[in-house]
């Protein structure tokens, strides 16, 4: 956790340094105004910095395992039929901390190769940014399907990708997100099947008994919860998702 916090703050510092400390440009200027006052003008670097900071949370989420985890947990809640239980806050918290667990090797590698040397002033900010992006690049590339890479490469006009050459980040990012969405829905489909079977069985029994006015969801919910508890569902789902990134 300490490595992650330091990594995020250092990345913010590096972005600020690149956006504001450009040679020959100032962050803001002060000019005399009529009547003895002063006017202040903010340069484009501050605007660029604020834009980057607003997009940073989304970038961190979309380049980690968070997308797959939150989608699977949302589908699991829908399959159980428990409406807003667990609540959105709990699902987000579970997804966030499971993401920290899954991404720990990536964060630690980025801290050891980029953040710590930069804090020790042994490498420049440009080298630190390059080294910090390498663990994320390797993680995303390992989780990305070749078919998705080929699709976006064809759209962008790259042609056939050369395995010996490094895939550009502009191509890897959408391919990684698309692959994560596919994987998340595949896992969600497999989770949904046993609960769907219970709903079908309960609905068939109620129809055969002539109890058509009674909602099958009310009857099937206790059976689905019992099944989920008996198989230790939370541990099974969490462990399966965590291991799916490193197989």
């Amino acid at each position: 956790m300490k490595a992650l916090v330091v990594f995020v703050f250092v990345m913010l510092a590096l972005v600020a340094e690149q956006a504001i400390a450009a040679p020959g440009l100032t962050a803001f200027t002060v000019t005399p105004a009529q009547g003895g006052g002063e006017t202040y003008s903010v340069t484009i670097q501050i605007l660029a910095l604020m834009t980057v900071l607003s997009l940073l949370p989304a970038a961190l989420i979309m380049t980690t395992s968070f997308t797959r985890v939150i989608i699977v947990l949302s589908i699991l809640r829908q399959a159980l039929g428990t409406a807003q239980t667990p609540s959105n806050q709990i699902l987000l918290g579970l997804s966030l901390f499971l993401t920290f667990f899954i991404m720990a090797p990536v964060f630690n590698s980025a801290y050891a190769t980029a953040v710590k040397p930069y804090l020790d002033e042994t490498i420049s900010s440009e080298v630190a940014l390059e080294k910090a992006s390498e663990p994320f690049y390797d993680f995303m590339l390992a989780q990305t399907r070749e078919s998705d890479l080929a699709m976006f490469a064809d759209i962008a006009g790259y042609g056939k990708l050369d395995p010996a050459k490094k895939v550009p980040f502009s191509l890897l990012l959408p391919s990684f997100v698309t692959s994560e969405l596919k994987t998340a829905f595949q896992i969600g489909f497999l989770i949904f099947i046993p609960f769907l079977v219970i709903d079908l069985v309960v609905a068939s029994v109620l129809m055969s008994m002539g109890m058509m006015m009674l909602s099958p969801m009310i009857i099937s919910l206790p059976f689905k919860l019992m099944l989920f508890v008996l198989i230790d569902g939370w541990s099974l789902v969490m462990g399966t998702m965590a291991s799916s990134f490193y197989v």
Side-chain angles (χ1 to χ4, degrees):
M1 183 65 66
K2 179 181 177 181
L4 172 60
V5 174
V6 174
F7 173 73
V8 172
F9 277 100
V10 171
M11 288 300 102
L12 290 175
L14 294 177
V15 171
E17 178 181 347
Q18 295 295 319
I20 297 178
L25 296 175
T26 56
F28 62 90
T29 58
V30 181
T31 56
Q34 294 181 355
E38 294 179 337
T39 58
Y40 301 89
S41 61
V42 180
T43 56
I44 194 64
Q45 289 87 355
I46 295 295
L47 178 61
L49 174 62
M50 298 305 297
T51 303
V52 170
L53 290 179
S54 63
L55 295 176
L56 186 59
L60 290 176
I61 289 174
M62 300 307 291
T63 57
T64 62
S65 59
F66 184 86
T67 302
R68 183 188 303 186
V69 174
I70 188 64
I71 291 177
V72 170
L73 292 181
S74 299
I75 294 177
L76 172 62
R77 184 176 66 179
Q78 184 70 25
L80 286 171
T82 53
Q84 295 299 316
T85 303
S87 64
N88 292 332
Q89 292 82 355
I90 294 177
L91 288 186
L92 288 173
L94 286 173
S95 303
L96 187 61
F97 286 107
L98 186 58
T99 299
F100 289 160
F101 173 79
I102 295 171
M103 299 297 297
V106 178
F107 290 139
N108 292 335
S109 177
Y111 176 79
T113 59
V115 177
K116 190 175 186 303
Y118 176 76
L119 294 177
D120 295 337
E121 299 182 354
T122 59
I123 59 176
S124 63
S125 59
E126 292 81 3
V127 176
L129 286 174
E130 182 179 356
K131 289 184 175 294
S133 64
E134 290 177 357
F136 289 91
Y137 177 90
D138 295 336
F139 171 80
M140 290 189 292
L141 186 62
Q143 307 301 324
T144 304
R145 291 178 170 86
E146 294 183 0
S147 59
D148 294 326
L149 277 174
M151 179 188 68
F152 283 101
D154 182 65
I155 295 174
Y158 281 97
K160 188 176 181 179
L161 294 175
D162 188 356
K165 294 182 180 180
K166 191 173 183 179
V167 179
F169 256 104
S170 60
L171 183 61
L172 179 60
L173 285 173
S175 303
F176 169 74
V177 174
T178 304
S179 296
E180 286 296 283
L181 290 174
K182 289 182 180 179
T183 304
F185 276 92
Q186 288 175 353
I187 297 175
F189 171 75
L190 296 176
I191 291 176
F192 217 107
I193 289 178
F195 301 108
L196 180 61
V197 171
I198 293 178
D199 287 333
L200 291 174
V201 171
V202 171
S204 299
V205 172
L206 292 178
M207 287 288 292
S208 63
M209 297 174 63
M211 305 174 65
M212 293 176 291
M213 300 300 295
L214 181 62
S215 174
M217 295 295 296
I218 299 177
I219 306 300
S220 63
L221 179 58
F223 292 99
K224 291 190 288 186
L225 292 178
M226 180 181 65
L227 172 65
F228 194 68
V229 170
L230 289 177
I231 64 174
D232 196 9
W234 285 115
S235 298
L236 186 61
V237 171
M238 294 293 186
T240 301
M241 280 195 295
S243 61
S244 67
F245 288 93
Y246 299 99
V247 292

